[in-house]
Amino acid sequence: MMFSGKSSSGSSAVIFLMSILLITGVQLNAQTGKIKNKKAFFEKLARKKQKTIVQKELNIGGKAIPSEGTVKALFIFIQFDDDSTTKSKNWPYDTINLPDWTKQFVENKPTAKFKVNNLTQYFYEMSNGKLFLTGDVYPELVRPVRSMHSYKNISEVNTEILTRLDDKIDFSKYDNWSKDENGKFVMKPDGKVDMIFLIYRNFPNKLFFNQGWTGIAHLYLSRRYLQTNDGVIIKSGSLDKGSGIIIRGGKNGFYWLKYIAAHEFGHFLLGAGHIEGTTNLALMTGGPVWNASRGMHSWERARLGWMKYTDVKPGIDAGYILPDYMTTGSALRLKLSEKEWFVIENRQKISRHDKAGDKGIYIYHILNPYHFAPSVFVECADGNWNFKIDTTNKKLIKSSPNPFGKNEMNFSKYVKGKNYACFKPVYETNAAWGDDKDAFDLTFNNVFSPVSNPSSFNKAKISFTIEVTGKTGNDYVLKFYFKNPYAGKPAKPQFFRSKKLHDNKLLLTWVPNKEPDMLAYRIYRTYGKTFNNKNLNKLVEIPFLFNREPLSEFIIKHEAPGKADVNTYYVLTAVDKNGNESVLSDYVEVK
């Protein structure tokens, strides 16, 4: 059917308006066909338009508490009288005295000089001196009136304690911040206490959560708020709706408690949610390992305005020198789109808070970076794998490499209520906590490319390679390849295995490399009580292709060293047509 320009335009306008009405859910008057409430309609349309705008920058600053300036909190340490059966060297059972370390848990005023690395020092270092979390430690051990089993829930206990202490504490000292009409933090009281930490030595699950949580950014009270004698209120609730944090497990002592407290305070800074699979590499860590919050990830610090990334420009080959991340706040960001980044940190474990499993270059694939919590996938240098679950023996087994699978840090699956993740006793090691094979470096794994494992595959479909090319002191040198992702060295050969055959022959197998410019493989051998890559002897160089197919196995003659305490080790490297040779594969040991 043909339409004139006028009628076509009118039809388009009607279709457009109808689509808006469907999207916004606004109804037409059945009798007149007119919008029932024009004001509500256009206000909703404006909100819809705002939501469709793609965010291009991080929202800088704290969410429910300011990320800059001085936040003064109250710290109360609590012990039930009937908790005598809980044994602890860090917080011995004592109905009179607090442990000595509680006096140093937090500074009572801003300072840049610290005798101990306490909670104030943690946020001072992470914020590059922008945030001072200070506080007063209530000087007495606080003891609930009744036994822990006589309370219905922790809300009853909290309410009793804060009400009882009202005559002894000036709660108005902890009301210093509010938000102005634009939602910006201003140092002005608003009649609500900013922050209270209620820290329990221990209490049973029935008072809190059956899941056994150790802390929560929520101050549970028996009513909506407590009106204090000082003219301020203590609010029940979480984040901006509440006035504090509950922590149990004080029995674990200073070190453990510091990071739990920092994590829960981090919720007030960043919001509800956790960054999964970042054990020991972030503050707001989640599963598969809990209570593993340590030094902050660069995304967290950048989100709070405590550092800025150096941006890598997509499509432009370039080299970068990257110093230690934690102490300098330097990190690289490759922004492929507003929904997808790659972030690179150099972790040298110089800071006391850097508890990374390895030293070297950590690469993270981040999705939805403008929201909390983003998806942060640690690209572990030892690759992604297929995992098998043996429910009979309750074991998790790493079976074969898979560039698009999970790695040891983020694999987790519940079967019949049991969590199968890479920690003992279901797995051979505690690799979920991080290990010495997670970081890229010059020798273990130095190439992150479209065909390596892990792979630089991305949703934006931009091919690139990151190669670690040098190291001076604690600084690493990196090269980004975009024009030709295979201009550097080949990726590390994967899944190198051996099998003894008859007549002292040895079958060596591996997963073929996928670079388009591959030329050959080289097989090396060495002897020793342990593997030493300094004394390698090249046995043979074999072509990459055999009958036009990538070679994935080779038979050699195995020569034993002739000594009972000496073993034989074999390794493999990949070589491209320009003579570039990969790092060594993982070795195989033959006795």
Side-chain angles (χ1 to χ4, degrees):
M1 183 180 293
M2 299 296 291
F3 292 96
S4 67
K6 182 177 180 179
S7 61
S8 177
S9 174
S11 299
S12 298
V14 170
I15 292 171
F16 173 71
L17 177 59
M18 290 302 297
S19 66
I20 290 175
L21 295 174
L22 290 172
I23 291 171
T24 59
V26 174
Q27 294 180 347
L28 291 175
N29 187 293
Q31 299 298 321
T32 66
K34 294 181 179 180
I35 298 171
K36 288 184 177 181
N37 189 330
K38 291 184 179 180
K39 182 179 179 181
F41 166 70
F42 286 109
E43 285 179 349
K44 195 165 186 178
L45 178 59
R47 290 195 298 269
K48 182 68 181 179
K49 185 177 180 181
Q50 289 176 348
K51 289 181 181 179
T52 59
I53 295 175
V54 178
Q55 192 172 341
K56 295 185 178 181
E57 295 296 336
L58 288 173
N59 288 325
I60 302 300
K63 183 177 179 64
I65 208 80
S67 61
E68 295 188 14
T70 300
V71 175
K72 192 172 185 65
L74 173 64
F75 292 77
I76 301 173
F77 290 86
I78 307 162
Q79 175 187 282
F80 286 93
D81 281 352
D82 57 337
D83 190 32
S84 58
T85 57
T86 299
K87 306 300 181 183
S88 170
K89 294 180 180 178
N90 296 308
W91 187 338
Y93 179 78
D94 185 336
T95 59
I96 299 175
N97 302 305
L98 282 172
D100 288 339
W101 55 261
T102 60
K103 302 173 184 177
Q104 298 180 315
F105 190 69
V106 65
E107 302 290 333
N108 62 6
K109 60 183 178 180
T111 182
K113 296 181 180 180
F114 301 92
K115 294 181 180 179
V116 296
N117 292 304
N118 57 18
L119 189 61
T120 305
Q121 188 277 335
Y122 176 88
F123 282 105
Y124 176 82
E125 181 179 327
M126 294 301 106
S127 70
N128 196 25
K130 292 184 177 182
L131 176 65
F132 293 93
L133 174 56
T134 64
D136 295 324
V137 175
Y138 186 70
E140 299 175 9
L141 175 66
V142 176
R143 299 155 56 195
V145 175
R146 311 198 310 264
S147 69
M148 63 177 73
H149 295 287
S150 66
Y151 293 93
K152 293 180 180 179
N153 50 54
I154 203 64
S155 300
E156 283 190 347
V157 189
N158 296 337
T159 303
E160 175 203 295
I161 288 171
L162 292 172
T163 302
R164 180 153 50 95
L165 295 178
D166 195 7
D167 291 333
K168 298 182 179 182
I169 296 174
D170 181 0
F171 284 102
S172 67
K173 291 168 58 178
Y174 311 104
D175 173 21
N176 299 294
W177 289 94
S178 60
K179 285 187 176 182
D180 63 19
E181 61 275 10
N182 298 315
K184 301 294 184 182
F185 283 105
V186 292
M187 201 165 187
K188 181 181 178 181
D190 61 359
K192 185 194 83 171
V193 171
D194 297 328
M195 181 59 55
I196 299 174
F197 286 80
L198 297 180
I199 302 173
Y200 288 82
R201 181 177 186 262
N202 186 38
F203 59 72
N205 278 343
K206 86 177 197 73
L207 291 182
F208 200 21
F209 292 102
N210 289 330
Q211 297 94 329
W213 289 9
T214 54
I216 189 167
H218 189 128
L219 187 58
Y220 285 98
L221 300 173
S222 297
R223 46 187 183 269
R224 289 174 57 193
Y225 65 87
L226 300 178
Q227 180 69 57
T228 72
N229 297 331
D230 310 304
V232 296
I233 62 172
I234 303 171
K235 293 193 68 175
S236 176
S238 62
L239 304 184
D240 57 335
K241 297 179 181 179
S243 294
I245 289 165
I246 308 169
I247 299 174
R248 69 169 171 176
K251 63 182 180 179
N252 295 309
F254 182 98
Y255 178 86
W256 180 91
L257 190 61
K258 173 177 64 177
Y259 291 114
I260 295 295
H263 174 97
E264 299 305 335
F265 187 78
H267 281 299
F268 281 80
L269 290 168
L270 292 162
H274 296 99
I275 305 176
E276 305 293 327
T278 55
T279 298
N280 284 334
L281 297 171
L283 176 62
M284 306 312 297
T285 60
V289 174
W290 292 93
N291 298 337
S293 299
R294 298 297 184 262
M296 295 181 81
H297 189 273
S298 59
W299 182 93
E300 297 170 315
R301 294 169 83 179
R303 165 65 181 77
L304 295 171
W306 295 346
M307 60 160 278
K308 290 185 177 180
Y309 284 112
T310 297
D311 280 316
V312 176
K313 295 182 179 180
I316 300 177
D317 293 356
Y320 297 86
I321 298 175
L322 195 57
D324 173 66
Y325 151 69
M326 192 66 74
T327 55
T328 67
S330 297
L332 300 176
R333 175 178 63 177
L334 173 57
K335 187 191 294 186
L336 300 181
S337 72
E338 306 309 331
K339 296 183 178 181
E340 185 174 24
W341 299 354
F342 281 88
V343 164
I344 302 95
E345 299 172 354
N346 174 12
R347 295 272 190 154
Q348 290 298 306
K349 303 173 74 168
I350 299 171
S351 167
R352 297 174 181 87
H353 303 299
D354 190 352
K355 302 302 178 181
D358 198 2
K359 287 184 178 181
I361 297 298
Y362 277 79
I363 300 175
Y364 310 91
H365 190 185
I366 303 181
L367 301 177
N368 298 318
Y370 297 125
H371 299 87
F372 184 75
S375 170
V376 179
F377 192 99
V378 184
E379 301 285 4
C380 293
D382 53 349
N384 300 322
W385 295 78
N386 294 316
F387 291 89
K388 292 182 179 180
I389 295 175
D390 179 358
T391 55
T392 302
N393 298 302
K394 296 182 179 179
K395 294 294 181 181
L396 176 65
I397 302 163
K398 185 172 69 173
S399 59
S400 59
N402 177 4
F404 304 103
K406 294 280 189 175
N407 60 47
E408 290 176 314
M409 287 195 71
N410 62 25
F411 182 85
S412 178
K413 187 173 183 179
Y414 280 84
V415 179
K416 296 181 179 179
K418 186 175 184 60
N419 185 13
Y420 287 86
C422 296
F423 45 62
K424 294 180 178 179
V426 301
Y427 194 65
E428 57 184 351
T429 66
N430 283 320
W433 288 85
D435 60 28
D436 60 1
K437 296 178 181 179
D438 292 337
F440 291 78
D441 57 29
L442 289 169
T443 56
F444 176 71
N445 191 354
N446 67 334
V447 172
F448 179 67
S449 78
V451 296
S452 64
N453 184 14
S455 163
S456 64
F457 173 83
N458 55 81
K459 293 185 177 181
K461 298 181 180 181
I462 297 176
S463 295
F464 71 92
T465 292
I466 303 173
E467 182 182 350
V468 181
T469 60
K471 186 173 186 286
T472 302
N474 292 317
D475 298 350
Y476 270 99
V477 182
L478 307 179
K479 182 69 182 290
F480 282 75
Y481 300 96
F482 292 95
K483 297 177 181 177
N484 176 10
Y486 310 109
K489 294 184 177 181
K492 175 179 181 173
Q494 289 270 304
F495 212 47
F496 189 50
R497 294 291 185 267
S498 66
K499 181 181 179 180
K500 282 186 176 181
L501 304 176
H502 61 279
D503 298 332
N504 287 330
K505 290 182 179 179
L506 194 68
L507 174 65
L508 301 175
T509 60
W510 59 91
V511 175
N513 281 51
K514 295 183 179 180
E515 289 86 355
D517 60 347
M518 281 292 297
L519 176 67
Y521 291 108
R522 291 171 184 168
I523 300 174
Y524 296 85
R525 180 173 61 199
T526 187
Y527 300 103
K529 295 181 180 180
T530 59
F531 176 73
N532 185 346
N533 61 8
K534 304 298 182 183
N535 299 311
L536 295 175
N537 295 310
K538 187 172 76 170
L539 293 182
V540 64
E541 181 169 316
I542 54 180
F544 175 70
L545 296 177
F546 181 75
N547 289 334
R548 298 183 179 181
E549 294 292 332
L551 198 63
S552 61
E553 61 181 41
F554 193 74
I555 297 175
I556 62 171
K557 184 178 180 181
H558 171 60
E559 295 182 3
K563 296 182 180 180
D565 60 345
V566 176
N567 297 323
T568 307
Y569 301 90
Y570 295 90
V571 291
L572 181 78
T573 64
V575 183
D576 67 19
K577 294 177 181 178
N578 292 317
N580 297 314
E581 187 174 11
S582 73
V583 297
L584 303 175
S585 68
D586 294 338
Y587 65 79
V588 295
E589 178 181 352
V590 182
K591 296 182 179 181

